[in-house]
Amino acid sequence: MSAPSTGRSLADFTVELDVYSGPYEWLLALVLKDELEIFEIPLRELVGLYAGSRDPGSANALDRDTDFAGSAAALILLKSRTLSPALEAEPDDEDATAASPEELAERLQEYLKIRRAAEHLRERFARASGHYPSAHAVAPKPGRLRISSDRLTLAGRRAFSRLVEPPVRHLGPITVTLQELAGLIRAGLLRGPVSYEDLTRGMDRLRSAVAFAAALSLAQEGAVKLLQAEPLGDLTFEPLDPGA
Amino acid sequence: MSPAPEHLVEAVLLVSPRPVRLGDLASATGLSEPETEAALENLSARYAPEGSGIVLRAVAGGHLLSTNPACAGVVERFREEARPAPLSGAAHEVLACALYLGPLTRGAVSRVRGVNSDAVIRNLLERGLISEVGADRDAPGAPALLGVSDDFLAAADAGSGEDFPPLDSLVSPEELARVRERLTSTEEAPDEREG
């Protein structure tokens, strides 16, 4: 009965649940792969099954107990996290902000209705179970399939959709870098404050833009102070430390 | 001698594993729709659950011959297969969302239930009980819209979505009021204490 010491002490533990029947290790794998939803697994029943299968006299009893306790604790943690509303919050503002009691009441009332509808469906499915239709199956003939254009569009969209990448053909090879322009600004500031206009005189639009980005970067580092007397007015760079 | 109309209809229904709509039955048999309807009425009487191992059901907008549930045990024994395991509570909730609030996106289902429902939805799509019936083109990424399928209607023994009770009738106004009262009174309690 004792399992060989392969590091898989629970390899011989199988479970029989409503939602799954088979090796316990596979159950864990299915949960991790999201093939089985964690909150559909009755953890209490799982623990009961393990307790019933325990053989305290076996050589690897301690290993088994330890491994089971570890994996069961992970399942409990995963289940509690899954059920935690905070982790399910949508990134949009609507759900990120705390709902008012009125909104919560609305949502709970809607959920209560869905819960009752689910119970109704359960009874209805149970009543209708046991109907078996004809086992005869005719293979569809090519050319006679009825294809809904909407479904075809959906399938095509799913198969071929990808993010549209912005066109970059208008961009030439990189001829100037931020570091290069930062060096230029540092050199210009050695003689004292310098205006953006003087600094970029004679530069093309790309170099002017990169020079501005380099100045912002230097200002963020604390090496340069940016001065602008009025909105849209002249921009002046001023060194903040002797090394700038 | 040509076969009687109900024999023609019966033959087509026998070989169909899915519900057959009236128009398709008429087209297949060469009968008019009123003749087909009359044939279906005769067949309904003949295939009543009390008198036959086969029953004629009006489900999912069509007609379907199925075994009588009273005989399910022997059918399962003959086919050496167990009855499919009942769906989980989560699956029934997702189906209820698709039935009553659909077509709706996966995100909408999760919002109503308060938990991520992607795994349950995937399982129901694989079982064919729900299907993608369109896309929400106004939402970013145009997520797929989910609705119940014909297989769902057949499994629930329903002819259409109209065969289900209205959602609002499933919970009494008193019960809804109690939910609201409990929630709002819980929220107001700290203020009362402060006052």
Side-chain angles (χ1 to χ4, degrees):
Chain A
M1 174 72 193
S2 64
S5 177
T6 57
R8 294 177 54 219
S9 60
L10 292 168
D12 60 343
F13 175 40
T14 58
V15 295
E16 195 78 34
L17 303 169
D18 277 351
V19 292
Y20 170 82
S21 170
Y24 175 67
E25 289 185 337
W26 291 10
L27 172 73
L28 297 179
L30 288 172
V31 170
L32 288 176
K33 288 174 70 182
D34 272 348
E35 298 286 331
L36 258 180
E37 202 150 5
I38 178 69
F39 58 81
E40 286 189 56
I41 299 170
L43 296 181
R44 186 176 172 159
E45 196 178 330
L46 198 61
V47 173
L49 285 172
Y50 178 75
S53 79
R54 275 188 81 229
D55 178 11
S58 73
N60 67 341
L62 186 60
D63 282 350
R64 273 172 60 92
D65 287 352
T66 311
D67 285 352
F68 181 76
S71 57
L75 287 177
I76 291 168
L77 182 65
L78 188 59
K79 190 168 190 172
S80 58
R81 281 186 178 170
T82 307
L83 292 173
S84 162
L87 294 179
E88 298 298 333
E90 295 289 329
D92 53 350
D93 292 337
E94 186 189 336
D95 282 359
T97 54
S100 68
E102 282 299 312
E103 285 168 337
L104 275 178
E106 290 283 330
R107 286 169 69 169
L108 270 178
Q109 286 175 331
E110 188 181 20
Y111 175 68
L112 184 61
K113 290 178 193 172
I114 288 298
R115 186 84 184 262
R116 285 292 150 76
E119 287 162 11
H120 173 77
L121 285 181
R122 180 191 291 278
E123 288 166 16
R124 194 153 180 155
F125 276 30
R127 275 202 307 273
S129 71
H131 282 115
Y132 291 102
S134 166
H136 183 89
V138 183
K141 293 179 183 170
R144 296 194 62 191
L145 292 172
R146 194 184 301 165
I147 297 174
S148 150
S149 59
D150 277 358
R151 292 185 64 80
L152 191 63
T153 308
L154 267 176
R157 188 169 56 86
R158 193 163 302 122
F160 299 112
S161 64
R162 66 187 61 161
L163 288 174
V164 178
E165 292 175 5
V168 292
R169 274 179 299 182
H170 62 286
L171 297 178
I174 295 172
T175 55
V176 59
T177 65
L178 208 62
Q179 289 78 7
E180 190 183 326
L181 270 299
L184 197 69
I185 295 170
R186 285 177 189 276
L189 290 172
L190 287 176
R191 296 187 292 274
V194 59
S195 74
Y196 175 71
E197 200 175 336
D198 291 341
L199 189 75
T200 57
R201 185 164 293 127
M203 286 185 186
D204 59 18
R205 287 171 63 189
L206 176 64
R207 289 176 72 84
S208 302
V210 178
F212 183 70
L216 290 178
S217 179
L218 287 172
Q220 197 176 17
E221 286 174 16
V224 170
K225 189 175 178 185
L226 302 182
L227 301 169
Q228 193 172 35
E230 56 181 352
L232 302 177
D234 286 344
L235 190 63
T236 305
F237 305 151
E238 196 177 281
L240 274 183
D241 65 68
Chain B
M1 193 177 80
S2 58
E6 58 257 44
H7 294 172
L8 297 172
V9 172
E10 183 181 24
V12 171
L13 289 175
L14 179 70
V15 295
S16 174
R18 312 188 67 78
V20 189
R21 293 180 194 280
L22 183 67
D24 293 338
L25 268 178
S27 168
T29 54
L31 302 169
S32 67
E33 290 203 0
E35 285 174 324
T36 312
E37 276 184 293
L40 283 168
E41 273 183 39
N42 288 340
L43 289 174
S44 293
R46 200 200 306 168
Y47 287 122
E50 316 70 62
S52 171
I54 295 174
V55 292
L56 179 60
R57 304 160 67 204
V59 290
H63 285 81
L64 179 67
L65 281 179
S66 305
T67 58
N68 190 330
C71 309
V74 292
V75 174
E76 286 154 10
R77 194 156 59 240
F78 172 72
R79 287 164 48 154
E80 294 181 348
E81 60 186 33
R83 196 171 300 186
L87 295 169
S88 65
H92 283 110
E93 285 184 14
V94 172
L95 287 173
C97 288
L99 173 66
Y100 284 106
L101 310 176
L104 77 177
T105 63
R106 287 168 170 78
V109 173
S110 296
R111 270 194 293 281
V112 170
R113 296 188 56 232
V115 290
N116 187 303
S117 306
D118 288 356
V120 186
I121 290 171
R122 193 164 54 236
N123 187 15
L124 291 173
L125 281 168
E126 279 169 12
R127 286 191 179 217
L129 293 173
I130 55 174
S131 59
E132 295 184 355
V133 295
D136 183 359
R137 299 190 193 289
D138 295 332
L145 293 169
L146 304 166
V148 292
S149 64
D150 283 354
D151 284 357
F152 164 85
L153 293 173
D157 211 18
S160 71
E162 306 295 314
D163 285 358
F164 296 88
L167 187 59
D168 287 334
S169 71
L170 295 171
V171 187
S172 68
E174 294 78 24
E175 198 171 358
L176 291 175
R178 272 202 303 278
V179 169
R180 180 175 290 275
E181 191 184 354
R182 203 178 311 147
L183 203 80
T184 48
S185 64
T186 306
E187 292 293 325
E188 281 163 8
D191 294 337
E192 286 166 10
R193 278 198 300 271
E194 281 166 20

